[in-house]
Amino acid sequence: MTYTIKKTVSASSRSLPANEKLGFGQYFTDHIFTVNYTEGEGWHSAEIKPYQNFSLDPGASVFHYGQALFEGLKAFRQKNGRVVLYRPEFNARRIQEGAERLCMAPPPLDLTLQAVRELVQVDERWVPEGKGTSLYIRPTLIGTEAFLGVRPSRTYLYFIMLSPVGAYYGEGAQTVKIWVEDHYLRAAPGGLGAVKAGANYAGSLKAAFEAKKKGYAQVLWLDTAREGIEEVGTMNVFFVFKNEIVTPALNGSILPGGTRDCVIQLLKAWNLPLSERRLTMTEVVSAHKSGELLEVFGTGTAAVISPVGELAHRNEKYVINNAQVGPLSSRLLQEITGIQYGEKPDNMGWIEPV
Ligand SMILES: *Cc1c(COP(=O)(O)O)cnc(C)c1O
């Protein structure tokens, strides 16, 4: 189904920041997409308009009980100038699943996909040019009803904002040091860990902050037993052993990442021995001792592949691959970014024109 999206084009077009200044999420483009949901009426008033503030009642449920979900995906300017989206349907489906968990109205697939395309078309000039740069797309769903009783909101706002982002890695990928988190917990069985709720991020800030103070880039999240490995920072995680590659199975408290899914598909296509299963710290420590732990890396939309050079766990430091980027991490990063920038054939069908 095709929706009618009202368009009001911005009267002024701001000057574009230089690629070196972009960083991550610091600049927003000229336009925003918004659509409202009202119980009984459905989704209505879809529009693309100049980027602007919202006006919300202070009683809106998002401010009190945290009905808020977000997504993150990217558009790329390929070598030939063509702008493409990377797996937009994956994210459109994931926000629907999240909405179900948070008792929010799920935005229809056709609407969210059309909105992303039309918004990126309107702000196409903001898609930076150059390997590593991209236009980060941030769809967000919030409860807007002004009502302090505890129940799901009856009205919602879904919006999409765009942010040009710079290259994550300047001179090639680098490894990071990770603190294995033995105290704080990101998610628990039956909780919100498997959906992209803002609340998960609020709960994770303190652990990341304390790890940074100790000199670590992020934390490795464990399960409630502080034994099973779940995720690394805001990324999924893979461990490469001598005879097996393991990523923790989706157990209900792990976020089903799109990049995780791409890596799984590639490893299978390359006939490498991948397992999705529970993986414990005990196992990792013993593999490290016997020299069988070869690589560890995180996967996520922002960095694609983030190799880990050291894990700090209970007063022990485990250096991985001499803190150098390993061959599988490099190969995956080259393959996925190669597909994104149109340098490699898209055999998986991950790229879509806007
Ligand atoms: C977004 C996110 C990921 C990565 O998902 P991608 O779709 O690959 O970007 C992993 N873990 C958490 C907790 C996340 O929020």
Side-chain angles (χ1 to χ4, degrees), residues 70-72 90-91 94 186 193 195-196 200-201 231-236 254-261 299-302:
F70 68 94
E71 266 305 328
F90 182 92
N91 301 82
R94 189 166 65 185
R186 188 191 84 90
V195 304
K196 248 176 145 58
N200 288 329
Y201 281 65
E231 302 203 43
V232 60
T234 58
M235 290 187 273
N236 296 110
I254 291 173
L255 195 285
T259 318
R260 175 186 184 276
D261 185 65
T299 65
T301 295

Side-chain angles (χ1 to χ4, degrees), residues 138-187:
R138 170 51 61 85
T140 309
L141 178 66
I142 57 172
T144 52
E145 189 185 359
F147 175 75
L148 297 182
V150 180
R151 59 154 173 76
S153 177
R154 289 175 185 151
T155 61
Y156 293 94
L157 171 66
Y158 177 76
F159 61 91
I160 306 173
M161 52 198 284
L162 305 175
S163 173
V165 299
Y168 195 91
Y169 298 112
E171 310 271 307
Q174 283 177 352
T175 60
V176 290
K177 287 166 47 168
I178 296 295
W179 179 261
V180 181
E181 184 53 64
D182 225 12
H183 176 67
Y184 298 111
L185 199 59
R186 188 191 84 90

